[in-house]
Amino acid sequence: MIKIIFNNEVTMPYSPQHKEESRLRILESAAKSFLHKGYEQTGINDVMRDAGMTRGAFYAHFSSKSELYDKAMLYAAAHGRLASHKNSGQRGSEWLMTMLEGYLSLYHLVGEETPCPLAFLVTDIANREPQVRQTYTRIYRRMNSLIERYRDNPSNQQNEEVLALTALMVGGVALSRVVDDERLAERILTSCRQTAAELLDIQ
Amino acid sequence: MIKIIFNNEVTMPYSPQHKEESRLRILESAAKSFLHKGYEQTGINDVMRDAGMTRGAFYAHFSSKSELYDKAMLYAAAHGRLASHKNSGQRGSEWLMTMLEGYLSLYHLVGEETPCPLAFLVTDIANREPQVRQTYTRIYRRMNSLIERYRDNPSNQQNEEVLALTALMVGGVALSRVVDDERLAERILTSCRQTAAELLDIQ
């Protein structure tokens, strides 16, 4: 017993900072797995192992797999390409062009550390809990507002147009990710990039 | 033993037509379940029960759940809105307009007997077997060719444009199906319909 009382873990409990770091490690590993394999094929054990922790540590951070999925989506949205705001010297249309080139690219499909959850999970969301759909919708609204904000000439009519633009982006990435022909995937991405630029008047 | 030999099932085996009817009943029930609930949340038992058959009858028709998924996608594609060809009196652009109105509608999201597998399964496909991705790609190519065929003035350049158009359609349906706000879903569909009609020069 004495041994346990003087054990490091008891006398020096983890600091709040350490707990936050662990949480972020779990989220990073969860986001990667959920985005690439979907909800059903992601196991908490694997996520925790990948984060270098034991399964037991999971419940100190999250109450369920569904909560983890929800938070991992937010993590991915906050660390993805759409979260990289434009620098001060850049015009809105320049940022939009760069964003489109990155979003609608083969790299986004296979190389991106945190790809866009809107495109990678769109049908996976259909059978999740209401809280998850609510978070997805929030991220989706944010994507639309961000593009709207960086347009050079925003107007009411264009607000509605942006909904078609983001549907094109999400559909383009989701489709090119699953077709079994890389050349076709590239053609889809190119066509979507061109049409998106036209819709934004930045071609 | 004598009883078994004179049993109806032995002396009068099911006809090929009966077998085909059973197969179609399974496919119809499978398509409904896979499209709305995805691969993982669909069970063979439920599909067979819904089709009014025993689990044992399944393997007389399909070798695996993966094969059932593959064939159910083809079934849905053959029975969906995109499979309803235009009547002889109709111009291509009229058919396209009707198709867009049906495809990009709230009814497609909730009421359609066989909704479009391209839109309902796009991220579900990501983790399926190569055969399934191949079938998905075939259905996707067919969707593009069909729209191309009914355009009034097809050209090479427009061939590429159609890829953006179908990405917009698939993305619009997939997104509006999962956002948790019906008014937002309607706005997405309306915006996609308008933009799609513009891309096709039929607005």
Side-chain angles (χ1 to χ4, degrees), chain B:
Chain B
M1 284 300 265
I2 291 169
K3 214 172 157 193
I4 292 168
I5 291 166
F6 285 97
N7 178 304
N8 244 358
E9 291 199 13
V10 174
T11 53
M12 294 169 55
Y14 289 134
S15 66
Q17 192 196 337
H18 180 278
K19 185 165 181 185
E20 183 56 21
E21 280 167 11
S22 302
R23 186 184 155 88
L24 288 176
R25 265 205 340 268
I26 301 172
L27 283 175
E28 192 188 335
S29 143
K32 230 183 298 169
S33 182
F34 281 131
L35 283 160
H36 290 283
K37 301 197 284 179
Y39 184 86
E40 300 287 352
Q41 290 184 53
T42 292
I44 293 181
N45 286 351
D46 297 335
V47 167
M48 294 306 285
R49 192 181 315 119
D50 185 55
M53 283 177 262
T54 60
R55 157 101 194 191
F58 177 76
Y59 293 99
H61 300 276
F62 304 97
S63 63
S64 65
K65 182 172 163 185
S66 182
E67 193 204 343
L68 179 65
Y69 187 81
D70 188 76
K71 296 296 189 295
M73 259 201 306
L74 285 168
Y75 176 90
H79 291 79
R81 195 169 289 272
L82 279 164
S84 69
H85 288 213
K86 76 183 181 75
N87 62 51
S88 56
Q90 215 176 14
R91 284 176 55 206
S93 57
E94 284 165 357
W95 181 88
L96 285 169
M97 203 61 182
T98 313
M99 183 276 292
L100 282 183
E101 274 163 14
Y103 194 94
L104 290 159
S105 70
L106 282 181
Y107 185 77
H108 187 180
L109 311 185
V110 291
E112 199 85 69
E113 273 289 292
T114 42
C116 177
L118 299 173
F120 273 57
L121 297 176
V122 62
T123 61
D124 204 61
I125 296 295
N127 295 296
R128 301 284 84 79
E129 290 175 20
Q131 168 62 41
V132 168
R133 290 182 61 180
Q134 202 179 314
T135 300
Y136 183 92
T137 308
R138 228 165 78 216
I139 298 171
Y140 169 69
R141 286 188 202 273
R142 225 188 284 154
M143 177 189 198
N144 285 286
S145 325
L146 183 73
I147 293 176
E148 193 55 46
R149 187 176 348 137
Y150 289 160
R151 294 193 71 161
D152 288 334
N153 302 302
S155 81
N156 256 351
Q157 174 55 27
Q158 288 172 324
N159 262 324
E160 293 303 302
E161 262 181 38
V162 167
L163 299 174
L165 174 76
T166 50
L168 172 73
M169 292 169 64
V170 165
V173 167
L175 276 169
S176 53
R177 179 169 167 240
V178 295
V179 292
D180 75 339
D181 171 346
E182 190 173 302
R183 234 190 68 64
L184 177 59
E186 270 188 86
R187 285 176 53 213
I188 298 170
L189 294 168
T190 304
S191 176
C192 289
R193 268 201 315 274
Q194 279 169 359
T195 303
E198 280 162 30
L199 292 175
L200 284 166
D201 283 323
I202 53 172
Q203 74 276 39

Side-chain angles (χ1 to χ4, degrees), chain A:
Chain A
M1 282 300 265
I2 291 168
K3 212 171 156 193
I4 293 170
I5 290 167
F6 284 98
N7 178 302
N8 244 356
E9 291 199 12
V10 174
T11 53
M12 294 170 56
Y14 288 134
S15 65
Q17 191 196 338
H18 180 277
K19 185 165 180 185
E20 183 56 20
E21 278 167 13
S22 301
R23 185 184 156 88
L24 287 176
R25 268 207 337 268
I26 301 172
L27 283 175
E28 191 187 337
S29 145
K32 230 183 297 170
S33 183
F34 281 131
L35 283 160
H36 290 283
K37 303 197 285 181
Y39 183 85
E40 300 287 352
Q41 289 184 54
T42 292
I44 292 181
N45 286 352
D46 297 335
V47 167
M48 293 305 285
R49 192 181 316 119
D50 185 54
M53 283 177 262
T54 60
R55 158 100 193 192
F58 177 76
Y59 293 98
H61 299 277
F62 303 98
S63 62
S64 64
K65 183 172 163 186
S66 182
E67 194 204 343
L68 180 65
Y69 187 80
D70 188 75
K71 298 295 190 295
M73 259 201 305
L74 284 169
Y75 176 91
H79 290 79
R81 196 169 289 272
L82 279 164
S84 69
H85 289 212
K86 77 182 179 75
N87 61 50
S88 55
Q90 214 176 14
R91 283 177 55 207
S93 57
E94 285 166 355
W95 181 88
L96 286 169
M97 204 61 181
T98 312
M99 182 277 292
L100 282 183
E101 274 163 13
Y103 195 95
L104 290 158
S105 71
L106 282 181
Y107 185 76
H108 187 180
L109 311 184
V110 291
E112 199 84 70
E113 272 289 293
T114 41
C116 177
L118 299 172
F120 273 55
L121 297 176
V122 63
T123 61
D124 203 62
I125 296 295
N127 295 295
R128 301 284 83 79
E129 291 175 18
Q131 168 61 41
V132 168
R133 291 182 61 181
Q134 201 180 315
T135 299
Y136 183 92
T137 308
R138 230 166 75 215
I139 298 171
Y140 169 69
R141 286 188 202 272
R142 225 188 283 153
M143 179 189 197
N144 285 287
S145 325
L146 183 73
I147 293 176
E148 193 54 46
R149 187 178 346 137
Y150 289 161
R151 295 194 70 160
D152 288 333
N153 303 302
S155 81
N156 256 351
Q157 174 54 28
Q158 288 171 324
N159 261 323
E160 293 303 302
E161 262 182 39
V162 167
L163 299 173
L165 173 77
T166 50
L168 172 74
M169 291 169 64
V170 165
V173 166
L175 276 168
S176 53
R177 179 170 167 239
V178 295
V179 293
D180 75 338
D181 170 346
E182 190 173 303
R183 233 190 70 64
L184 178 59
E186 270 187 86
R187 285 176 53 214
I188 298 170
L189 293 168
T190 304
S191 176
C192 288
R193 268 200 314 274
Q194 279 167 0
T195 303
E198 280 163 30
L199 292 175
L200 284 166
D201 284 323
I202 53 172
Q203 73 278 36

